[in-house]
Amino acid sequence: MAFTGLHTVLFAPPDMKKAKRFFSDWGLREVVNTCAKAVYETQIGSKIVLKPPKAKDIPPPAQKDMHFREMIWGVSSKKHLLEIKKELLKDREVKVDPNGTLHCIDPNGLGVGFTLWKPKNKINASRTKINSYGSQERIDEVSKFYESARPIRMGHIGFVLPDLKAAEKFYKDRLGFWLSDRYAGGAAIFLRCAAKSQHHNLFMIWGRDGKKRYHHTAFEVRDIHEVFGGGVAFDKKGWDTEVGPGRHPISSAYFWYFKSPCGGAVEYFTDSDFVTEKWKPHNYRVNRFSEWHLPDGIQQVKDDMVRPSMSAAGRPSG
């Protein structure tokens, strides 16, 4: 079964107006904006969809007060879509849209769908030129400074769930997702939807209390400068940092998380590990969220801020 990535994430937020402003400020392109539905798009065409909680055409929440309702995965061909439908029908109801999109409920009660999708490839994804010892890409020019972020795609989505064994069996063993890494003792699993992919597309943590929670959706940007520049710009618009910036030891990616009005968080990330079928999954015994991180974002620097004067020894004085 050939997947092309995370296509859609659907939310039913309690405050549609606030959620619309949030994803517009996040740097997504507004495609639809009505009372009944709003759609925001990344550069390659992956989408955030917002609908009112009382909408009749959305899956039920997996947990009371969960605003996440469904994730839809892109599939490369009708053949693979039919294979997925056949597999799902073995033990669950499958609804089919007029456009052929499949909808069902996974073992933890999460809405999940599958649709034909070829990501856009004519996009602006060129990173900032980098100078390093022995290799100069940027000569006689000032480096780029980002005044906002324009996410390329949704890279992964994460949940806290009570039954990771059932989730792994469903996504890995039945649908063909690949295991990238796991925490020992069943604390968390990192899955990817293709053999050759960035480190993970689906991240699931075991919930000790038996409750189900939406954790976050991650949006890939071009480089670390866009993580910083986009995060600073988003912070200036009044949105609160969840954690970051920082760097993950698992996946190696740089990140910055912000609290979402749809519950959980959203993440800017870049420079994730890229793995293939040769990758050997690790069984980590220590759950390390970050190599390093700032807990509350970056201090905003005003244009008129005066730098501290330097002492003769090269240290700030006063």
Side-chain angles (χ1 to χ4, degrees), residues 112-216:
V112 60
F114 305 91
T115 192
L116 287 176
W117 180 49
K118 183 178 180 181
K120 299 176 184 178
N121 55 20
K122 293 183 179 180
I123 61 172
N124 179 15
S126 58
R127 64 166 173 80
T128 303
K129 296 177 182 178
I130 296 173
N131 288 342
S132 59
Y133 183 79
S135 178
Q136 287 74 41
E137 298 178 353
R138 191 182 71 256
I139 301 174
D140 296 331
E141 62 178 292
V142 176
S143 182
K144 181 177 178 62
F145 288 81
Y146 293 92
E147 295 183 358
S148 63
R150 178 73 173 96
I152 298 169
R153 68 182 183 112
M154 293 190 295
H156 61 266
I157 189 168
F159 300 91
V160 180
L161 301 171
D163 195 342
L164 290 195
K165 289 184 178 180
E168 183 171 348
K169 182 178 180 181
F170 182 75
Y171 289 101
K172 182 175 76 69
D173 299 341
R174 295 182 60 185
L175 294 176
F177 280 48
W178 291 66
L179 176 68
S180 291
D181 283 315
R182 70 168 75 246
Y183 285 126
I189 54 176
F190 299 80
L191 302 177
R192 63 189 191 275
C193 64
K196 296 180 180 180
S197 169
Q198 289 194 319
H199 182 270
H200 61 279
N201 308 114
L202 182 58
F203 169 53
M204 294 176 284
I205 309 169
W206 177 57
R208 293 177 177 272
D209 59 6
K211 294 183 179 180
K212 306 162 190 176
R213 299 181 184 87
Y214 161 73
H215 195 271
H216 76 282

Side-chain angles (χ1 to χ4, degrees), residues 12-14 16 36 51-58 69:
M16 283 283 287
K51 293 186 177 183
K54 293 184 179 180
K56 296 181 179 180
D57 60 342
I58 58 176
R69 294 301 182 90

Side-chain angles (χ1 to χ4, degrees), residues 24-87:
S24 179
D25 287 350
W26 188 242
L28 305 183
R29 184 175 72 89
E30 183 180 278
V31 179
V32 177
N33 186 354
T34 69
C35 294
K37 180 180 180 181
V39 179
Y40 297 88
E41 190 176 74
T42 67
Q43 289 194 52
I44 69 165
S46 47
K47 297 175 174 63
I48 291 291
V49 176
L50 307 174
K51 293 186 177 183
K54 293 184 179 180
K56 296 181 179 180
D57 60 342
I58 58 176
Q63 184 84 35
K64 183 180 178 181
D65 297 327
M66 181 188 283
H67 308 314
F68 165 86
R69 294 301 182 90
E70 186 178 42
M71 55 181 164
I72 299 177
W73 296 89
V75 180
S76 64
S77 69
K78 290 183 179 179
K79 175 186 175 182
H80 290 297
L81 198 62
L82 288 172
E83 290 175 353
I84 292 170
K85 182 181 179 182
K86 182 179 179 180
E87 179 61 38

